[in-house]
Amino acid sequence: MSIMIWHNGRYYKSASGKDLEKLQREFTNENKKAKWKKLSFDASSLFKAVRTSKDFIQQVKREDLIQKIFYNLSEKEEDEIFDCEMFDGNQAWIGNDGVENRYFTRKSSKNIAVGYTIVDIFRSLQTELDVYSDNCFWKARKELADLLNVTYEDSDWEIRELEKYETNMGILEKMINEQSAASTNKNINRQITEYFVDLEIMLQIGKKYINLKERDAFGNSRFFFYPSKYGIPRKDFDRRIGVLKKLDLIIVETVEDTYLDKNSHDYVTRDVTFLSFPQYTEELFYEIEKKLKNN
């Protein structure tokens, strides 16, 4: 990233991926991370024109929100130099570089500062995730939208997907634990009793990886699932998925995907199997039960 001169003459560079990694390592110190308490702030009126996640990210970085969101920075004045809350011994200040609002930090006035946007900070605070991952970015964006009380078309889809997964898990739990539901769907239960745990795990994974970039042909969020990670032999998994697919309880989609192999550093093309879930409803289970009864 090229070096730029801020409007008041202080030198800085935009935070790179390595800078995010460095900050995330700082936040693995739970005492330091705890200082970055987040506050809700209704900024919905500022985001009325936002329609997409890209629009939201672009605008959220431009708005003057850092002091409003983080309790430990709420008393900081714009351009005021203070002891850095990120890196011990550093100087810091908060200000706008002419385009984006940033938290700037440097070792001393002789050093070039690093400017972190509010999105950079939220990503770095996701210490349990790879800071480069889509899931880390998604969680940071979703948390920001929730705190700012902002909704838009993309976020509405994500909310619907989240609600779908929660509903699906609720219906599945009801089938397992409630005698009346189990007796009503006894043929389904008989077919999938040994797969309940698998379904629960896959629903949890699907909920965790809701991603706008990964949608199946029906508009559902799709995801990868690695059975070996959960001690499920590949053959057993393929058999179980076949049964669940036949029952319309899961959607299986195989697509050709090209990716950069980390070991060979070459681009590799292969078939990739994605999983996604339909909306579970009592009507769906009624139709499945009826079909099983007639076969």
Side-chain angles (χ1 to χ4, degrees), residues 111-158:
N111 299 102
I112 295 168
V114 176
Y116 292 88
T117 67
I118 194 168
V119 177
D120 295 332
I121 299 170
F122 267 71
R123 286 174 68 185
S124 300
L125 283 164
Q126 310 295 328
T127 50
E128 76 284 4
L129 299 173
D130 178 353
V131 76
Y132 295 104
S133 69
D134 287 341
N135 194 37
C136 179
F137 185 78
W138 174 78
K139 283 194 74 172
R141 175 170 53 76
K142 185 177 184 305
E143 190 175 5
L144 268 166
D146 290 344
L147 286 167
L148 296 170
N149 191 33
V150 174
T151 60
Y152 49 93
E153 290 175 12
D154 285 354
S155 69
D156 288 344
W157 174 83
E158 290 174 337

Side-chain angles (χ1 to χ4, degrees), residues 81-220:
I81 297 287
F82 56 88
D83 291 337
C84 185
E85 299 275 349
M86 293 177 174
F87 302 103
D88 297 337
N90 272 21
Q91 302 174 347
W93 70 93
I94 299 164
N96 192 290
D97 64 5
V99 178
E100 296 176 338
N101 204 53
R102 296 178 186 269
Y103 180 107
F104 298 92
T105 178
R106 66 187 181 186
K107 289 184 179 179
S108 74
S109 58
K110 296 178 181 179
N111 299 102
I112 295 168
V114 176
Y116 292 88
T117 67
I118 194 168
V119 177
D120 295 332
I121 299 170
F122 267 71
R123 286 174 68 185
S124 300
L125 283 164
Q126 310 295 328
T127 50
E128 76 284 4
L129 299 173
D130 178 353
V131 76
Y132 295 104
S133 69
D134 287 341
N135 194 37
C136 179
F137 185 78
W138 174 78
K139 283 194 74 172
R141 175 170 53 76
K142 185 177 184 305
E143 190 175 5
L144 268 166
D146 290 344
L147 286 167
L148 296 170
N149 191 33
V150 174
T151 60
Y152 49 93
E153 290 175 12
D154 285 354
S155 69
D156 288 344
W157 174 83
E158 290 174 337
I159 290 168
R160 288 195 300 272
E161 280 295 292
L162 184 62
E163 290 174 345
K164 179 185 76 176
Y165 275 98
E166 290 173 349
T167 298
N168 285 6
M169 287 189 283
I171 289 177
L172 188 65
E173 187 176 328
K174 186 177 178 181
M175 281 184 63
I176 298 169
N177 297 323
E178 293 188 15
Q179 186 64 40
S180 59
S183 60
T184 302
N185 300 290
K186 59 184 179 181
N187 289 294
I188 299 175
N189 276 19
R190 192 179 301 119
Q191 286 268 335
I192 65 169
T193 295
E194 65 176 299
Y195 310 147
F196 275 135
V197 173
D198 297 342
L199 271 174
E200 284 184 311
I201 292 171
M202 287 186 284
L203 282 165
Q204 290 288 355
I205 296 299
K207 179 183 174 182
K208 184 178 179 181
Y209 290 100
I210 295 170
N211 188 340
L212 279 162
K213 295 180 182 178
E214 294 293 352
R215 286 188 266 191
D216 68 14
F218 305 99
N220 301 298

